[in-house]
Amino acid sequence: MTALEEELPQHLQGNWSPVQEERTIADLTVTGTIPPELDGRYVRNGANPITGFSDHPFTGDGMIHGVRLRDGAAEWYRNRYVQTPFIADPDRAVIDMAESLTDMTSSKANTNVVGHAGQILALEEGHFPYALDGNLDTVGPTDYDGRLTGPFTAHPKICPDTGEMLAFGYSMMEPYLTYLRVSKDGTLEQVENITVGGPTMMHDFNVTRNH
Ligand SMILES: [Fe+2]
């Protein structure tokens, strides 16, 4: 670790150092064999502040790293920033709380990434999902044809029986908690308020067949 790195907060040191270069690497070397039935992308999301600095681990810009697997080969590795408003305008790097509560596109998109209904979604729990294409380039924020009007969790659950994506949104403002159900084909079919006592923060949840 360099002396300069030691000056930085722990979440920007060593293995947590921001990656700021977007790369595309083909013909990856494979150690051992990749099962040929694996056909898809292995992707991860994490915070990489585009300015090189964030004052908190949660406020870095979302960057998706992925490996494309097909026919027993690792076709590519690539990493891409999720193109949020904070990437277009790094002067906006500091999150404005009032704006964050009302502008559902003002996401850092840095918490999780899931695949559903043919889309890759970069998620953070206070705003709309950001859709990505198969090459990890950003399509844009999605509000499910206007049906989503508030935050969307970073931890939706995909039902192995129905293919539906079950999710929720929470807020400091009414409605405090909303249940969301996206159909297998990507239509937001259910938006239902859940009565709770007041402003809510809820990071994750779980769902069973009956509860
Ligand atoms: Fe989490």
Side-chain angles (χ1 to χ4, degrees), residues 1 19 31 47 59 82-83 120 128 130 150-151 155 168 180 196 201:
M1 195 180 300
V19 173
T31 303
T59 58
V82 185
Q83 294 295 317
I120 299 171
F128 291 158
Y130 267 75
H155 291 301
F168 66 92
L180 306 165
V196 290
M201 183 177 182

Side-chain angles (χ1 to χ4, degrees), residues 60-79:
D61 298 288
M63 176 180 274
I64 308 294
H65 300 255
V67 177
R68 175 71 166 111
L69 303 177
R70 180 159 46 194
D71 299 330
E75 288 184 356
W76 49 252
Y77 160 85
R78 62 183 79 204
N79 64 314

Side-chain angles (χ1 to χ4, degrees), residues 5 19 39 78 107 113 177 189:
E5 262 189 272
V19 173
D39 181 1
R78 62 183 79 204
S107 174
V113 57
L177 187 61
E189 287 188 332

Side-chain angles (χ1 to χ4, degrees), residues 2-91:
T2 64
L4 195 63
E5 262 189 272
E6 283 174 13
E7 301 283 307
L8 292 169
Q10 192 176 15
H11 71 271
L12 300 176
Q13 291 182 14
N15 202 35
W16 293 289
S17 298
V19 173
Q20 288 166 285
E21 187 187 356
E22 294 182 332
R23 302 184 69 184
T24 304
I25 305 171
D27 302 322
L28 300 173
T29 305
V30 175
T31 303
T33 55
I34 297 171
E37 55 270 38
L38 287 182
D39 181 1
R41 294 157 189 79
Y42 177 65
V43 293
R44 298 297 303 268
N45 194 355
N48 283 276
I50 194 165
T51 61
F53 184 82
S54 59
D55 54 11
H56 191 280
F58 293 176
T59 58
D61 298 288
M63 176 180 274
I64 308 294
H65 300 255
V67 177
R68 175 71 166 111
L69 303 177
R70 180 159 46 194
D71 299 330
E75 288 184 356
W76 49 252
Y77 160 85
R78 62 183 79 204
N79 64 314
R80 296 290 184 272
Y81 281 109
V82 185
Q83 294 295 317
T84 68
F86 299 98
I87 302 300
D89 179 10
D91 287 342

